[in-house]
């Protein structure tokens, strides 16, 4: 065999192994990803499972005696393909130090905590805002809160595919500037109409981090670390809206509702500046695109192609067509994949319930228990504590669970292994709404409804984190787009469902109104179970054409 043929064969093997890892198919997917767990201390349960899996696979196959490290596509200039210099290439984001990876994720998670917090922080301030603007419409007052989430629904459809084409860093930084600018605009709004417009645009800018974070996790972390990474990231997404009303109530009553937005603006500027200074580009395709462009110029070889996208490059697609495909990808994933659609519908309903509480619980505690607006934010402590307990459980069990299930599956990893716990957490949602609805209806002591919302907060975390991690594992190269489709529909529910709250409670009362929501939540519990059982077959037999 000639030297050229040998290199071509080696490049083909590297590229195919990379694609197999990214699509999580076959025995190699998880084996290659969990190599790093073998040398850890034995007292860590997940690592013990990794060792057990290695011994199991070693007994099963005499040809492959040990787990191999993850393979990345390497340089093959003779075939005009540009890849990583070596498996340990420091430019590859997967080879960053653990401290560096977690610091990057921490920065993205911080801004992802702030923007969802901004979505709900205005809730307790609605009475003061209505008084200033002479507004008597409950629906319009609720819409002032939920219109921010409508911006969350629209923004990811653009920002996520743009981050996959032009890079995470530039898109995240531009969106942060938009968020900060229009948060200041909210503080200066002269009337209710302008405030609603500014809130929508601020939500639009603040939406990018909600889905780019999923892309960052896919860029930086191997499969066996993504559960823990997603738990940290999701903490901000769901814990932020819970903290928002607690802060907003005190600020609005003591300093005025405009200071709510001033605090958001100041904090947003500080976090955006830190991300601008510290966060590097992490998108593998974009990094190799830049390297390809540099080598084309330095070596005077215009025929060089990115090894990750060379099949697309050979089709001579125009840049505008690539951009168009990227922009419609989230919608294609959402509406052509029954997996993405069903899980998105489930998450969307639960997210809508959260914002229904944000827009109604203040009035419930004012009328039922005689609380002041600043104290009403404390009614979300039950949801917040539930969020914390739920995310702790997910962080400690998610990655260990997939290693154990992979062992039982003869060493073959499937993304569906993320979903079994969702069924258990799903039962907590209706329990909370039956509890909360009837205790407030019968004017039971104020602490009882707060405790009743604790299972809801726990259930939300136990549903959101595994589902988002499942989508990252199922569509690793397009993780941001997959989560964008999910985010769009759930934020649409978050914006619209609260508008039905006042009329529903007026017609059915707090008891039967919340029970109706609990019954719907019960009907959706089987969704993750169905995807767990049939999702792998659907993904493999009817893959989505990207």
């Amino acid at each position: 065999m000639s030297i050229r043929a040998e290199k071509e064969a080696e490049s083909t093997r590297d590229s195919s192994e990379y694609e197999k890892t990214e699509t999580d198919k076959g025995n190699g997917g998880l084996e290659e990803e969990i190599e790093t767990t073998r040398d850890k201390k034995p007292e860590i349960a997940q690592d013990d499972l990794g060792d057990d899996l290695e011994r199991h696979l070693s007994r099963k196959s005499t040809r492959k005696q040990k787990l191999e490290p993850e393979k990345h596509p390497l340089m093959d200039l003779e075939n005009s393909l540009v890849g990583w210099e070596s498996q340990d290439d420091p430019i590859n984001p997967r080879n960053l130090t653990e401290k560096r990876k977690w610091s990057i994720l921490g920065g993205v998670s911080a801004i992802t905590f702030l923007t969802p917090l901004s979505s709900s922080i205005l809730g307790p301030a609605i009475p003061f805002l209505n008084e200033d603007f002479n507004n008597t419409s409950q629906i319009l007052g609720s819409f002032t809160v939920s219109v921010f989430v409508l911006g969350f629904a629209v923004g990811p459809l653009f920002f996520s595919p743009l981050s996959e084409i032009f890079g995470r860093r530039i898109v995240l930084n531009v969106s942060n500037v938009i968020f900060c600018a229009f948060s200041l605009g909210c503080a200066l709004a002269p009337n209710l109409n302008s405030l609603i417009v500014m809130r929508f645009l601020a939500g639009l800018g603040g939406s990018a981090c909600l889905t780019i974070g999923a892309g960052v996790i896919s860029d930086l972390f191997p499969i066996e670390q993504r559960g823990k990474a997603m738990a940290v990231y999701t903490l901000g997404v769901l814990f932020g809206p819970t903290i928002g009303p607690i802060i907003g109530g005190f600020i609005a009553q003591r300093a005025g509702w405009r200071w709510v937005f001033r605090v958001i603006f100041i904090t947003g500027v500080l976090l955006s500046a830190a991300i601008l200074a510290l966060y590097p580009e992490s998108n593998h395709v974009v990094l190799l695109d830049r390297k390809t462009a540099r080598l084309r110029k330095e070596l005077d070889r215009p025929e060089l192609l990115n090894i990750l996208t060379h099949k697309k490059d050979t089709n001579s697609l125009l840049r505008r067509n690539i951009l168009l495909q990227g922009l419609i990808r989230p919608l294609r994933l959402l509406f052509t994949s029954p997996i993405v659609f069903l899980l998105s519908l489930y998450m969307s309903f639960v997210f809508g319930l959260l914002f229904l509480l944000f827009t109604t619980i203040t009035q419930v505690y004012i009328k039922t228990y005689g609380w002041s607006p600043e104290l009403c934010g404390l009614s979300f402590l039950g949801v917040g504590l539930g969020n914390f307990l739920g995310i702790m459980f997910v962080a400690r069990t998610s990655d260990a669970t997939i290693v154990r299930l992979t062992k039982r599956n003869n060493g073959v990893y499937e993304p569906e292994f993320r979903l079994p716990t969702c069924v258990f957490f799903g039962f907590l949602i209706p329990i909370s709404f039956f509890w909360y609805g009837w205790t407030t209806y019968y004017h039971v002591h104020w602490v009882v409804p707060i405790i009743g919302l604790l299972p809801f907060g726990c259930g939300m975390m136990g549903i959101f984190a595994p589902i988002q991690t499942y989508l990252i594992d199922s569509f690793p190269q397009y993780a941001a787009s997959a989560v964008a489709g999910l985010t769009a529909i759930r934020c649409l529910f978050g914006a619209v469902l609260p508008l039905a709250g006042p009329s529903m409670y007026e017609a059915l009362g707090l008891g039967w109104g919340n029970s109706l929501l609990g019954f719907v939540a019960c009907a959706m519990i089987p969704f993750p179970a169905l995807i767990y059982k049939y999702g792998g077959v659907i993904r493999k037999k009817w893959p989505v054409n990207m």
Side-chain angles (χ1 to χ4, degrees):
M1 183 182 291
S2 65
I3 295 177
R4 180 182 180 89
E6 289 178 359
K7 290 188 176 181
E8 183 175 355
E10 180 180 356
S11 175
T12 302
R13 288 194 302 271
D14 287 342
S15 181
S16 65
E17 290 190 38
Y18 176 85
E19 291 174 2
K20 185 167 71 171
T21 298
E22 292 292 53
T23 55
D24 302 323
K25 294 179 180 179
N27 290 346
L30 184 64
E31 295 171 48
E32 293 165 357
E33 292 282 5
I34 64 173
E35 168 67 14
T36 55
T37 66
R38 298 180 326 190
D39 298 325
K40 302 289 185 178
K41 295 181 180 180
E43 61 266 27
I44 300 177
Q46 179 180 335
D47 297 338
D48 290 340
L49 292 170
D51 291 337
D52 290 342
L53 178 57
E54 178 185 359
R55 290 192 292 269
H56 174 79
L57 293 174
S58 297
R59 289 193 300 268
K60 182 182 176 184
S61 173
T62 57
R63 181 178 58 86
K64 189 172 185 178
Q65 296 298 324
K66 64 177 183 177
L67 300 176
E68 297 177 359
E70 178 185 357
K71 297 292 185 181
H72 303 287
L74 303 181
M75 291 280 288
D76 186 12
L77 292 181
E78 289 196 13
N79 289 309
S80 302
L81 297 178
V82 177
W84 306 113
E85 296 290 341
S86 69
Q87 296 298 332
D88 299 320
D89 191 337
I91 300 177
N92 186 340
R94 290 280 180 88
N95 292 327
L96 295 175
T97 64
E98 291 298 305
K99 182 178 180 180
R100 181 67 168 146
K101 289 179 183 180
W102 287 102
S103 65
I104 292 172
L105 181 62
V108 176
S109 298
I111 196 70
T112 309
F113 170 81
L114 180 65
T115 56
L117 181 146
S118 305
S119 67
S120 63
I121 196 172
L122 189 61
I126 289 179
F128 305 104
L129 185 148
N130 288 339
E131 183 179 352
D132 274 8
F133 292 139
N134 298 317
N135 175 51
T136 57
S137 171
Q138 285 188 346
I139 293 179
L140 200 58
S142 297
F143 188 60
T144 306
V145 177
S146 62
V147 70
F148 188 95
V149 189
L150 191 60
F152 275 4
V154 176
L157 298 177
F158 297 92
F159 289 131
S160 294
L162 289 174
S163 77
E164 291 169 353
I165 297 170
F166 300 107
R168 321 280 190 208
R169 188 175 189 272
I170 185 172
V171 174
L172 182 59
N173 288 326
V174 169
S175 67
N176 287 345
V177 171
I178 296 173
F179 166 69
C180 292
F182 287 105
S183 294
L184 180 60
C186 290
L188 304 175
N191 53 58
L192 189 60
N193 291 334
S194 61
L195 176 61
I196 290 175
V197 173
M198 294 292 180
R199 283 276 289 171
F200 172 77
L201 294 174
L204 191 73
S207 66
C209 59
L210 298 179
T211 50
I212 288 179
V216 171
I217 291 173
S218 178
D219 296 337
L220 297 179
F221 295 96
I223 289 175
E224 85 280 357
Q225 291 183 337
R226 287 177 189 166
K228 184 176 181 180
M230 182 55 72
V232 172
Y233 171 71
T234 306
L235 186 64
V237 176
L238 296 181
F239 208 57
T242 306
I243 297 295
I246 300 175
I247 299 173
F250 285 99
I251 295 176
Q253 183 157 340
R254 297 180 179 273
W257 65 267
R258 293 184 186 274
W259 265 102
V260 169
F261 297 110
R262 289 169 183 157
V263 169
I264 292 296
F265 169 73
I266 294 170
T267 308
V269 168
L270 294 176
L271 288 178
S272 298
I275 291 173
L276 178 64
L278 301 176
Y279 171 49
E281 181 55 55
S282 64
N283 189 313
H284 293 213
V285 173
V286 172
L287 290 172
L288 288 182
D289 275 342
R290 294 174 181 175
K291 182 176 181 179
T292 302
R294 176 173 57 81
L295 291 179
R296 283 172 180 169
K297 184 176 180 180
E298 291 178 357
L299 303 178
D300 192 21
R301 293 186 58 181
E303 77 279 5
L304 292 178
L305 299 174
N306 183 337
I307 197 169
L308 297 181
T309 59
H310 65 280
K311 293 181 181 179
K312 295 181 180 180
D313 289 340
T314 56
N315 292 330
S316 301
L317 293 176
L318 297 176
R319 191 70 172 178
R320 64 175 178 271
N321 291 336
I322 298 174
L323 178 60
L324 179 62
Q325 291 297 315
L327 292 176
I328 66 175
R329 188 179 296 122
L331 295 176
R332 183 184 293 122
L333 281 167
L334 180 61
F335 293 111
T336 63
S337 170
I339 295 173
V340 178
F341 180 77
L342 286 177
L343 294 180
S344 297
L345 184 64
Y346 188 25
M347 282 187 61
S348 301
F349 178 70
V350 175
F351 192 73
L353 294 180
L354 177 66
F355 273 82
L356 180 66
L357 290 174
F358 288 150
T359 55
T360 59
I361 200 170
T362 298
Q363 292 301 318
V364 168
Y365 268 79
I366 288 175
K367 293 180 180 180
T368 305
Y369 298 106
W371 284 22
S372 64
E374 67 177 349
L375 291 179
C376 287
L378 298 176
S379 60
F380 290 95
L381 287 176
V383 179
L385 181 58
N387 287 163
F388 181 76
L389 294 176
I391 208 63
M392 289 294 291
F393 180 86
V394 172
R396 293 180 64 88
T397 62
S398 177
D399 294 325
T401 299
I402 67 164
V403 177
R404 183 172 63 253
L405 292 177
T406 300
K407 175 184 175 181
R408 293 179 182 175
N409 196 40
N410 296 322
V412 180
Y413 170 71
E414 298 288 351
E416 285 72 25
F417 294 163
R418 300 282 184 184
L419 299 178
T421 57
C422 289
V423 178
F424 163 73
F425 283 105
F427 282 101
L428 300 180
I429 306 299
I431 289 174
S432 260
F433 272 82
F434 295 143
W435 186 336
Y436 166 74
W438 290 108
T439 53
T440 53
Y441 177 80
Y442 286 111
H443 294 198
V444 180
H445 190 275
W446 57 264
V447 75
V448 179
I450 292 177
I451 296 173
L453 291 175
L454 190 150
F456 174 71
C458 188
M460 282 184 63
M461 285 295 184
I463 292 171
F464 273 50
I467 289 179
Q468 291 199 109
T469 311
Y470 167 73
L471 292 179
I472 292 175
D473 289 351
S474 298
F475 309 98
Q477 188 174 351
Y478 303 108
S481 288
V483 177
L486 182 150
T487 301
I489 190 171
R490 75 174 167 86
C491 290
L492 187 62
F493 269 68
V496 174
L497 190 59
L499 302 181
S503 57
M504 180 187 68
Y505 288 136
E506 185 177 348
L508 300 177
L510 289 172
W512 282 112
N514 285 295
S515 294
L516 175 62
L517 299 173
F519 290 134
V520 176
C522 285
M524 292 187 172
I525 291 174
F527 286 5
L530 291 173
I531 301 301
Y532 174 68
K533 186 172 182 179
Y534 301 109
V537 176
I538 295 172
R539 282 189 301 106
K540 294 168 185 176
K541 287 191 175 181
W542 298 283
V544 180
N545 182 14
M546 300 295 184

